[in-house]
Amino acid sequence: MAANIGIMDSAYFVGRSEILSWINDRLQLNLSRIEEAASGAVQCQMMDMTHPGIVPMHKVNFDGKTEYDFIQNYKVLQDVFTKLKIDKHIEVNRLVKARPLDNLEFLQWLKRYCDSVNGGLMNENYNPVERRTKGGNRSIRGPLKNSKSLQTNNSVNSGSCDEDPVVLRRSTSIGAKHMKPGPTSSEFQSMTKEITDLKVSVDLLEKERDFYFAKLRDVEVLCQTPELENLPMSVAIKKILYAADENEDALAEAQEIVSELMSAEQAGLSDDS
């Protein structure tokens, strides 16, 4: 199985241009650099093409910009690996940094895996663009819907006006009377300042979010180290970190684990005395 290919396998001698061509041809994309695939969305869709229906595409964020977004995509990918019993460790910490060599190596492995499943043949029934609309990218579907409704309204309006030129002149006259004047210079400056202030606030909030996320990520990495991952305190911390939003019992469960740990330690001290 390609999951266990060695570092000297021919898969790791496939060049960047061939990898990019492979991705662009199969997913109808236009990537020009390997690091553009660092978000993990490409890898998720490649697995979706190789194993139709196995990837929950609604959880894949194709417009991710931050490391947090990337990590969520890799969690989806890791879940898929687990379902398929693929023994492949994903170096998420390195991949999300958009390091070209790390991402190239992972994509080389992915190509070898996909080729081993379908012999390198494309799934002709797979529509990559349509499947991406089921993911986190909503920008594809929105403009199409809006443009369609706009065309419909325009055709209705033009049709009604063509029937009666008087209606056209009258509606134009009425529209001109009710047209609101544009903003004055002072109002425009005020709105510009307000927009600038909002942008500054958003930038500050994003920096604060990234700061605290980095801290949480450091805690997660620490709890995942082989020496600590099975300790009760690490288990309790991970209970909180990995809890879903609707899971209100995570803190209580973590506190229970810590309480049991403290009770065991106190019992041990009593026995020693």
Side-chain angles (χ1 to χ4, degrees), residues 63-191:
D63 286 335
K65 303 297 182 184
T66 67
E67 289 188 12
Y68 175 80
D69 297 328
F70 297 174
I71 289 173
Q72 301 310 306
N73 286 340
Y74 282 111
K75 285 184 177 180
V76 173
L77 185 63
Q78 188 65 70
D79 288 341
V80 171
F81 282 7
T82 301
K83 290 179 183 178
L84 296 172
K85 298 182 179 180
I86 299 175
D87 186 17
K88 171 65 177 176
H89 178 63
I90 303 177
E91 296 285 352
V92 178
N93 290 337
R94 295 186 178 185
L95 295 174
V96 298
K97 300 295 184 183
R99 297 172 179 170
L101 291 179
D102 292 324
N103 280 273
L104 175 61
E105 180 179 327
F106 187 66
L107 289 170
Q108 288 169 331
W109 172 88
L110 183 65
K111 183 178 186 302
R112 174 60 182 276
Y113 173 81
C114 294
D115 289 347
S116 71
V117 174
N118 55 25
L121 300 177
M122 292 182 61
N123 183 351
E124 296 181 356
N125 296 323
Y126 186 83
N127 187 329
V129 177
E130 181 182 351
R131 288 294 291 167
R132 278 197 291 276
T133 64
K134 299 180 183 299
N137 186 350
R138 304 302 180 192
S139 60
I140 297 175
R141 190 176 298 175
L144 294 176
K145 182 178 180 181
N146 292 338
S147 61
K148 182 177 180 182
S149 61
L150 182 60
Q151 290 171 359
T152 302
N153 291 336
N154 287 342
S155 63
V156 172
N157 291 337
S158 63
S160 61
C161 292
D162 288 342
E163 293 176 359
D164 190 350
V166 176
V167 174
L168 176 61
R169 291 194 299 270
R170 185 177 299 171
S171 61
T172 303
S173 176
I174 294 175
K177 290 181 180 179
H178 291 278
M179 185 179 297
K180 294 182 179 180
T184 64
S185 177
S186 60
E187 290 175 339
F188 181 79
Q189 291 178 357
S190 176
M191 288 187 290

Side-chain angles (χ1 to χ4, degrees), residues 9-66:
D9 190 276
S10 60
Y12 293 111
F13 293 91
V14 178
R16 299 186 185 190
S17 59
E18 184 175 346
I19 292 293
L20 288 172
S21 177
W22 174 67
I23 293 172
N24 291 334
D25 288 346
R26 280 157 175 73
L27 301 185
Q28 297 181 25
L29 293 172
N30 190 29
L31 303 187
S32 59
R33 298 180 300 166
I34 288 293
E35 50 268 38
E36 291 179 53
S39 72
V42 165
Q43 293 84 335
C44 287
Q45 189 166 17
M46 277 297 182
M47 292 301 294
D48 184 61
M49 173 181 280
T50 305
H51 299 281
I54 195 70
V55 179
M57 293 297 288
H58 64 282
K59 293 184 179 181
V60 181
N61 187 349
F62 289 92
D63 286 335
K65 303 297 182 184
T66 67

